[in-house]
Amino acid sequence: MLDIINKLLLKNRTIVSKDSAVCMDILRQKYPIKVHKYPTNSDCQTWVIPPEWNVNYATLKLNGKLIASYDDSMLFLAPYSASFSGTISKQELINHTFTNSNVPDAFCYEHRLAYDFQRRLKEWRITLPYDLIQELPDDGEFEVDISVEVKDGNMHVAELENPGQSDFCFTFLSHYCHIAQANDGIAGGAVMLEVMDQIKKRYVKNKYTYRMLFMPEVIGSVAYTSENKNKIDNTIGAVFSEMPGANEGLQFVFSRRSNTYIDRVFLQVLKDKGKLDCRRVPFRKGWGNDETIFDAPGIGVPSVSIDRYPFREYHTQYDDLRNVHIDKLEEVVDIILSVVDILENDYIPEQKKNAPIYLTRYDLYSDWTYERESYDVNTLIMDNLWSGLSVLDIALKNDLDYHYVRSYISKMLENDLISTSIITPTYSKKTQFLPGF
């Protein structure tokens, strides 16, 4: 995972750039990705694909002396800044500069031009460390020289798919478009690629199709969902992740409706891992990324996010490889793979017989007098076989141990006493309940 982060880190990974195509080539060396291309000026619903934006050079001089440049930090120039050359006052410099006094020695990531349709390529903007701004003389002459190349190009969305026995799909979401940021974006992509690798190793025939998307944040999701309605309609859920390698605690962000099947699966995994005390926040109250598009009302795929919070290096030059910890990445991979394990093993049990099962015949009976607790639990499970709930939901709805319920119902399946139905998008999207833990 660290290798792919390192290879992509210092590429000009904005919405559309020549380096985004280079990033796709890097991914192709190891993964059989399909690359979707969306040309400049394509209209995806209400979103317009911007032109390709490449940096020739960007410098700032004071009285002829170089004091900052794109070569010092790729964060120096805001993505989708316009070209500019001229001598300006300190006040005008400040008007065009983004800085963060909370991180006074850092260049910071300025995303606002890239995402604002009204401002993109219509103004120039740089970033400087707050301390540097304070040191600059009020009467100095500042020479700004910015040269960018703007032309038609293609936005790239990488898709990696592991087909299953069913076309019903679970999707892993990630973005790559934050220049010179490691945890904020590409670390999430590295996690999802590792998850896809592990799924292929773990399952000879996986039940569901698994799909991973690596794309420019938000606009990539809009474009993909606009052109892939059949895939979206077949999707039971999605998860996004960023900041996964940060040395901080986990953050779980619920889906928009909060009480969907996908929410319950993740909560069960967090419980099993002893992580239920992690920061849990409502939809859009976390970092807020591609899950907000996939779970928008008009699309409606139950989508959650598993991240880390707080992240003190957020949008600064310190979001680098030194702050990506392999054990933290592996923890997120493990959580997501455990979700996959539940998805692959869960099902909706369906009774084959109308009369109650002769439990002693199949070693499913607990004595009413001497094993009363398990008798009551087993009776509750049997009654819920008619509920239309999945095995996981039977356990959670009745506050029972999931692993015990799964084991008990599996014995019925082994004895051909029940049949099974797969979890469908209709089932996963239905709002039902949240577990009480």
Side-chain angles (χ1 to χ4, degrees):
M1 288 184 279
L2 293 176
D3 179 62
I4 196 70
I5 296 170
N6 185 46
K7 287 179 177 178
L8 300 180
L9 181 58
L10 295 183
K11 302 299 181 186
N12 178 26
R13 297 174 283 105
T14 192
I15 302 172
V16 182
S17 68
K18 63 182 179 183
D19 273 3
S20 64
V22 173
C23 291
M24 297 300 106
D25 290 338
I26 291 171
L27 293 177
R28 282 193 190 96
Q29 294 173 12
K30 185 175 181 181
Y31 304 100
I33 61 171
K34 176 182 180 180
V35 178
H36 300 267
K37 296 182 180 181
Y38 302 90
T40 293
N41 293 323
S42 296
D43 202 322
C44 301
Q45 308 262 358
T46 60
W47 295 66
V48 181
I49 306 303
E52 182 176 302
W53 182 85
N54 304 307
V55 180
N56 296 321
Y57 55 82
T59 62
L60 173 65
K61 295 180 180 179
L62 170 60
N63 300 328
K65 181 181 178 182
L66 183 68
I67 57 174
S69 74
Y70 188 76
D71 291 336
D72 296 328
S73 172
M74 295 179 72
L75 299 178
F76 170 71
L77 184 62
Y80 283 93
S81 172
S83 294
F84 176 80
S85 183
T87 300
I88 60 175
S89 66
K90 181 179 180 180
Q91 185 56 55
E92 188 174 356
L93 175 67
I94 290 173
N95 292 343
H96 288 271
T97 301
F98 175 73
T99 189
N100 185 350
S101 60
N102 293 321
V103 194
D105 60 343
F107 287 94
C108 297
Y109 176 60
E110 168 63 297
H111 63 278
R112 290 164 183 82
L113 295 189
Y115 285 98
D116 190 333
F117 181 84
Q118 303 297 333
R119 298 175 64 189
R120 186 187 298 149
L121 293 172
K122 295 176 182 176
E123 60 182 278
W124 64 270
R125 195 156 178 80
I126 63 173
T127 85
L128 290 173
Y130 176 81
D131 284 348
L132 177 57
I133 284 279
Q134 300 306 303
E135 295 171 358
L136 297 177
D138 292 337
D139 58 352
E141 291 190 343
F142 298 93
E143 302 163 44
V144 178
D145 199 2
I146 299 169
S147 173
V148 298
E149 177 189 45
V150 179
K151 63 179 184 178
D152 289 344
N154 292 290
M155 182 180 74
H156 297 89
V157 173
E159 178 183 35
L160 181 61
E161 183 173 286
N162 182 0
Q165 295 171 295
S166 169
D167 288 336
F168 293 152
C169 170
F170 189 83
T171 302
F172 308 110
L173 307 173
S174 56
H175 70 69
Y176 64 75
C177 61
H178 285 24
I179 293 172
Q181 304 291 276
N183 269 297
D184 189 0
I186 52 175
V191 160
M192 300 310 190
L193 289 167
E194 179 65 17
V195 167
M196 291 291 286
D197 265 354
Q198 293 298 322
I199 291 173
K200 292 184 70 173
K201 294 174 182 177
R202 288 189 180 200
Y203 302 100
V204 177
K205 291 184 178 180
N206 38 289
K207 181 166 60 177
Y208 293 103
T209 293
Y210 293 94
R211 184 172 295 121
M212 182 263 187
L213 298 175
F214 204 20
M215 53 201 167
E217 180 183 6
V218 176
I219 191 172
S221 287
V222 170
Y224 182 88
T225 56
S226 298
E227 293 196 353
N228 292 278
K229 186 178 185 304
N230 289 340
K231 290 181 179 180
I232 298 303
D233 288 345
N234 278 338
T235 303
I236 64 171
V239 59
F240 177 85
S241 184
E242 65 179 357
M243 324 302 179
N247 193 28
E248 302 290 351
L250 292 168
Q251 170 180 268
F252 175 68
V253 184
F254 286 87
S255 73
R256 175 170 55 87
R257 288 155 290 182
S258 81
N259 57 355
T260 71
Y261 173 73
I262 298 304
D263 294 280
R264 296 191 293 277
V265 172
F266 271 86
L267 289 174
Q268 179 64 46
V269 168
L270 291 172
K271 179 184 178 182
D272 288 343
K273 303 289 182 185
K275 303 293 183 180
L276 262 182
D277 61 347
C278 72
R279 186 174 191 254
R280 291 184 281 169
V281 295
F283 192 68
R284 288 189 177 273
K285 299 300 182 181
W287 296 107
N289 288 277
D290 293 280
E291 77 281 2
T292 65
I293 303 301
F294 268 70
D295 208 348
I299 300 171
V301 174
S303 303
V304 300
S305 185
I306 189 79
D307 313 299
R308 295 194 182 276
Y309 183 91
F311 181 48
R312 295 169 181 81
E313 293 78 23
Y314 178 70
H315 280 192
T316 76
Q317 69 186 63
Y318 299 117
D319 183 5
D320 55 23
L321 279 174
R322 292 171 297 178
N323 285 299
V324 180
H325 303 274
I326 189 65
D327 60 318
K328 299 297 184 181
L329 297 176
E330 289 172 345
E331 182 182 35
V332 176
V333 169
D334 179 59
I335 287 170
I336 297 175
L337 285 173
S338 296
V339 167
V340 171
D341 181 67
I342 289 182
L343 297 178
E344 288 294 305
N345 288 282
D346 199 17
Y347 51 86
I348 300 171
E350 297 180 347
Q351 283 276 26
K352 285 188 171 184
K353 310 293 182 182
N354 291 331
I357 295 170
Y358 190 11
L359 297 178
T360 58
R361 179 180 176 183
Y362 303 100
D363 195 26
L364 291 168
Y365 183 71
S366 293
D367 190 275
W368 185 89
T369 302
Y370 301 106
E371 302 169 294
R372 186 55 184 268
E373 183 176 349
S374 58
Y375 174 90
D376 289 342
V377 168
N378 295 347
T379 300
L380 191 55
I381 294 172
M382 296 300 298
D383 288 347
N384 275 270
L385 292 180
W386 302 90
S387 66
L389 295 175
S390 76
V391 174
L392 173 69
D393 281 347
I394 288 173
L396 296 181
K397 184 84 170 184
N398 296 282
D399 195 24
L400 302 177
D401 180 76
Y402 162 63
H403 302 283
Y404 177 84
V405 174
R406 175 170 153 180
S407 176
Y408 189 74
I409 296 180
S410 292
K411 293 177 183 177
M412 298 181 211
L413 188 59
E414 292 165 6
N415 285 287
D416 198 30
L417 300 172
I418 59 172
S419 59
T420 67
S421 294
I422 195 171
I423 305 299
T424 66
T426 299
Y427 185 94
S428 71
K429 293 175 184 178
K430 183 179 180 181
T431 55
Q432 297 193 62
F433 66 94
L434 278 178
F437 48 76

